[in-house]
Amino acid sequence: MQLKLMEINPEMLNNVLAPLGVAGQWCFVDVLGLEEEALGSMLAPVCALLLLFPLMAHHENFRKKQIEELKGQEVSPKVYFMKQTIGNACGTIGLIHAVANNQDKLEFEDGEDLLLQDAAKVCREFTEREQGEVRFSAVALCKAA
């Protein structure tokens, strides 16, 4: 399964936040560099950074090496992670990680269809594969994305 390919930019990400239940003044902006001068021009505070780039063979090799090196390392239960199980979803997965790992900072609208808030709480108990399957079987995410 693959999501429809879409451009990931701050405007699109901000348009997706509200239908998924995120309220308040939080928004995505472009980061033009990681130098002090570039970061100094950003709105503060910052609670997440999405870094999206094309996956190349050397990235995949590094990722595999890192998995081996980190085996047995205990990860805090406060950190939410879901593995991407479908294609063309890197920006969507990044958005989910940004929201799910910052629920203590974000405000959420009241309502029935608060996918990111409710699913993140429920999915913490699932395996990585189950989390991916649960997320993408949800109609609200498909409609918003």
Side-chain angles (χ1 to χ4, degrees), residues 59-75:
H59 296 120
E60 187 62 19
N61 292 336
F62 177 76
R63 186 188 67 78
K64 287 177 182 176
K65 180 182 172 190
Q66 223 177 14
I67 287 172
E68 287 302 315
E69 290 174 359
L70 297 175
K71 275 190 178 171
Q73 178 179 338
E74 193 170 319
V75 177

Side-chain angles (χ1 to χ4, degrees), residues 31-107:
V31 177
L32 303 177
L34 297 177
E35 298 82 16
E36 191 172 330
E37 183 179 312
L39 295 176
S41 67
M42 291 178 48
L43 300 172
V46 174
C47 66
L49 175 69
L50 289 179
L51 179 61
L52 305 175
F53 57 93
L55 188 61
M56 309 297 266
H58 64 279
H59 296 120
E60 187 62 19
N61 292 336
F62 177 76
R63 186 188 67 78
K64 287 177 182 176
K65 180 182 172 190
Q66 223 177 14
I67 287 172
E68 287 302 315
E69 290 174 359
L70 297 175
K71 275 190 178 171
Q73 178 179 338
E74 193 170 319
V75 177
S76 168
K78 294 179 182 180
V79 174
Y80 178 79
F81 174 77
M82 75 179 263
K83 184 176 181 177
Q84 180 177 334
T85 60
I86 62 173
N88 296 333
C90 55
T92 304
I93 299 295
L95 173 66
I96 292 169
H97 283 130
V99 172
N101 284 304
N102 288 290
Q103 292 183 66
D104 59 327
K105 297 171 188 73
L106 302 174
E107 299 170 29

Side-chain angles (χ1 to χ4, degrees), residues 3-44:
L3 287 183
K4 181 181 175 187
L5 189 60
M6 63 182 162
E7 183 178 348
I8 299 297
N9 59 52
E11 182 180 356
M12 189 285 305
L13 290 168
N14 291 330
N15 287 336
V16 172
L17 285 178
L20 294 177
V22 177
Q25 300 301 311
W26 290 98
C27 65
F28 286 92
V29 298
D30 278 323
V31 177
L32 303 177
L34 297 177
E35 298 82 16
E36 191 172 330
E37 183 179 312
L39 295 176
S41 67
M42 291 178 48
L43 300 172

